Amino acid sequence: MKNLFNICFGLLCLNAVAQTTQLVIPDTLIGPNYTLNMHKDSVQFFPGNKSHTYAFNSFNYLGPTLIFNKGTNVNITVNNQIGDTTTVHWHGIHLPSKWDGGPHTPILPSASWNPTFTVMDNAATYWYHPHLHMKTAEQAIKGAAGLIIVRDPIEAALNLPRKYGVDDFPLVIQCQQYDSANQAMPLGMQDSTILINGARANYGYTVYANCPAQVVRMRILNASGERAFNFGFTANMQFKIIASDGGLLNAPVNTTRLRLAPGERAEILLDLTGMNGQTIHLMSYASELAMGIQGGPTMPMPSGPPMDSPLNGVDFNIMQINVVPQTASPVTTIPATLTTNNPYPTGSANITRTIRFTADSMMVMDGPFYFNDSTFNMMRIDYEIPLNNIEIWKLVNETMVAHPFHIHDVQFYLFDRSGTTPPAEELGRKDVVLVPPGDSVMFITKFEDFADTIIPFMYHCHILMHEDDGMMGQFIVKPNLTSVSEIALNDLSIKIYPNPAKEILFLNIEQLSNPKPVEVKVYNNIGKLIYQTGTKDTNTVIDIGQWASGLYVIEIQQEGSRAFKKIIVE
Ligand code: C2O
Ligand code: CU
Ligand code: CU
């Protein structure tokens, strides 16, 4: 069957006009204010019908790269112009659940959404994409996605390539399936069209990047719906992995392969010094992927329609790299160390939760898949996690298919892969981990900063079809009730927590009858007004990271009545 497929695709190549295009570098948006207009568009990916797409701003597929600086506040306006409900999720970013863009915060057609938050994450490559339940695959593979680059002082102090598009290349890599009318198919298992930053890159199409003859950086996102890639370069050229999903590794990891499942990111350094004029390729060595990993070798189907793509289990080129002359002030050395990651000691965990990946039978290859035998239910909270809990999550894959597990809110540290220490490139901060069939994986993480008793965070398989099919769960992070200060005023019940507080102060105002405006003022220990807000919002998050430690007084006022509460900032 695979041979037949290759012949078909060979013929297609002969008919198509070969096209070679230069890598498109997505424009950047620099904060603190960002506007994202998510709209319908179309792209001539194939001869004949154009493919219907979703995109942001001036793009006709994908969106701009958002640059965030750690410690700053960002204000984002998402305008939904796609004529359908959607959400936008900031994948990997640690923020309050109401701004996380999960399925509980839909943006209706023609509506706008204004998340605003402080960037708390470490320098790394993150991304954004829709997350509407049962429509994530459809909307994401139409192109509604983009990169986020977080910068921070630790990364900035290192001698690393960071000239965007010159020696620092963003690569959004997707493998997609299109139907006979050239439309993206959310249920495709015969995905064979490779797109790099939205441009076709195989079957007669080539994308090339001009990379200077020095150390260059690539920020790679696997934005595919289901395929894993086993990246490498021509002739097994060595490269260094410097960052995982959520931050720098302790030190560069020297390697010839980088496996990335859907949702995962990595940053790599490739030393092209002395190679001016040469051409090499970024490839996927998919023949080396284990059976059961999408994109790896599949069992031959004796009869019926082929379930697999012609790319499965074979090595193929992804992008051509033309080595061009050095730039001015090139980076030519690679730092020996990068940062210090401090995983929580496993002994500090308050609880171990086991999540089994299951299906109706062992033979199921295309879903639906479940967590602990139950399908996703928007009305069911699977876990209530106390704020500041340190937890071990044990993921046990009882199915025949590998699943990339992703959790919102946190970055985690892997410490066990079926009884062995994970490879060095997986020992940094991560938010997606691929769990092959029969394996079990353990990570440790801490649920800090953002409690919300109403809006949950998600965890799910990042194979988008599995996620939409119900391989998802949700948790809320509960405030620590022992440190809640309560005030009653008129028909208001006000909870302020934690007290003492650090970094973030939560204000939960419950309006018992008809909501009226509430005024909140905070005075420091010499009586100076330092914060003020008018709110009807039930949950207000106050960023107190810049406040000096000491005693503060909070004044709550409604229609001339006042109440006061003292809080301590640590
Ligand atoms: Cu990238 Cu919950 O998703
Ligand atoms: Cu996410
Ligand atoms: Cu899955």
Side-chain angles (χ1 to χ4, degrees), residues 89-93 100 127 129 131 406-409 431 458 460 462:
H89 167 58
W90 321 103
H91 178 128
I93 301 285
D100 188 48
W127 63 304
H129 63 77
H131 217 301
H406 169 54
I407 182 170
H408 292 206
D409 182 31
D431 56 57
M458 303 291 125
H460 56 89
H462 221 290

Side-chain angles (χ1 to χ4, degrees), residues 173-404:
I173 302 183
Q174 292 172 294
C175 189
Q176 310 240 82
Q177 182 176 353
Y178 293 89
D179 64 18
S180 55
N182 297 342
Q183 305 310 317
M185 274 184 67
L187 298 174
M189 286 181 86
Q190 293 169 34
D191 55 320
S192 60
T193 301
I194 304 280
L195 302 177
I196 307 179
N197 295 349
R200 283 192 63 185
N202 64 345
Y203 296 120
Y205 293 76
T206 303
V207 172
Y208 70 91
N210 287 338
C211 294
Q214 61 203 52
V215 176
V216 298
R217 179 183 195 161
M218 294 178 183
R219 299 168 182 269
I220 309 178
L221 159 67
N222 183 354
S224 303
E226 74 176 272
R227 175 172 301 268
F229 294 104
N230 192 31
F231 294 111
F233 293 91
T234 309
N236 296 320
M237 186 174 164
Q238 298 212 324
F239 58 98
K240 311 248 185 197
I241 306 171
I242 59 165
S244 52
D245 301 327
L248 291 167
L249 301 173
N250 289 347
V253 173
N254 200 29
T255 189
T256 58
R257 295 288 185 271
L258 167 69
R259 186 183 73 192
L260 287 185
E264 284 188 297
R265 293 87 63 207
E267 295 177 18
I268 63 169
L269 297 180
L270 185 63
D271 190 354
L272 300 172
T273 308
M275 291 176 62
N276 186 22
Q278 295 186 34
T279 294
I280 58 168
H281 284 90
L282 172 66
M283 303 173 55
S284 182
Y285 287 92
S287 65
E288 299 166 11
L289 288 171
M291 184 101 55
I293 296 178
Q294 286 77 349
T298 39
M299 269 176 277
M301 287 283 163
S303 61
M307 292 294 287
D308 62 337
S309 146
L311 298 181
N312 288 353
V314 300
D315 300 342
F316 54 92
N317 287 344
I318 290 184
M319 186 178 75
Q320 182 178 318
I321 294 167
N322 298 336
V323 187
V324 299
Q326 275 193 350
T327 61
S329 46
V331 173
T332 53
T333 56
I334 293 176
T337 60
L338 299 164
T339 191
T340 308
N341 285 297
N342 291 307
Y344 309 101
T346 51
S348 65
N350 304 88
I351 188 172
T352 297
R353 301 186 196 272
T354 300
I355 299 186
R356 294 176 304 114
F357 302 177
T358 57
D360 292 326
S361 93
M362 280 294 283
M363 295 313 293
V364 171
M365 298 299 283
D366 56 351
F369 296 102
Y370 314 112
F371 291 135
N372 295 331
D373 304 310
S374 53
T375 193
F376 178 63
N377 179 345
M378 280 220 11
M379 303 305 288
R380 182 189 70 227
I381 299 296
D382 297 281
Y383 301 114
E384 292 193 0
I385 297 176
L387 183 66
N388 292 325
N389 234 32
I390 296 178
E391 303 201 347
I392 291 172
W393 285 34
K394 182 175 185 186
L395 312 172
V396 182
N397 187 353
E398 298 177 356
T399 74
M400 299 284 280
V401 176
H403 302 275

Side-chain angles (χ1 to χ4, degrees), residues 2-163:
K2 188 161 289 163
N3 285 338
L4 185 60
F5 247 93
N6 285 337
I7 292 163
C8 298
F9 276 87
L11 290 175
L12 275 181
C13 291
L14 291 181
N15 294 335
V17 185
Q19 281 191 23
T20 300
T21 54
Q22 189 168 358
L23 177 71
V24 172
I25 304 295
D27 294 341
T28 55
L29 292 184
I30 313 233
N33 301 312
Y34 304 80
T35 301
L36 290 174
N37 298 321
M38 185 173 165
H39 63 273
K40 287 195 236 190
D41 221 307
S42 62
V43 176
Q44 192 81 60
F45 282 129
F46 304 92
N49 292 336
K50 285 188 161 187
S51 305
H52 300 299
T53 57
Y54 290 149
F56 295 92
N57 301 4
S58 61
F59 292 63
N60 61 7
Y61 188 84
L62 302 177
T65 299
L66 311 183
I67 309 290
F68 287 179
N69 288 302
K70 184 175 181 177
T72 63
N73 293 310
V74 299
N75 275 297
I76 307 177
T77 303
V78 179
N79 298 312
N80 176 2
Q81 302 162 351
I82 64 168
D84 191 5
T85 304
T86 190
T87 81
V88 177
H89 167 58
W90 321 103
H91 178 128
I93 301 285
H94 177 53
L95 41 50
S97 57
K98 68 172 172 179
W99 301 136
D100 188 48
H104 294 266
T105 48
I107 316 171
L108 298 177
S110 306
S112 295
W113 184 57
N114 298 99
T116 164
F117 53 90
T118 303
V119 178
M120 297 173 77
D121 294 281
N122 291 350
T125 307
Y126 303 82
W127 63 304
Y128 58 94
H129 63 77
H131 217 301
L132 190 68
H133 185 42
M134 303 180 74
K135 287 211 170 171
T136 297
E138 177 198 317
Q139 296 186 346
I141 66 173
K142 276 188 163 175
L147 287 177
I148 299 172
I149 294 177
V150 174
R151 302 199 183 281
D152 75 9
I154 292 177
E155 189 272 343
L158 294 166
N159 183 32
L160 292 175
R162 63 173 70 78
K163 288 187 205 98

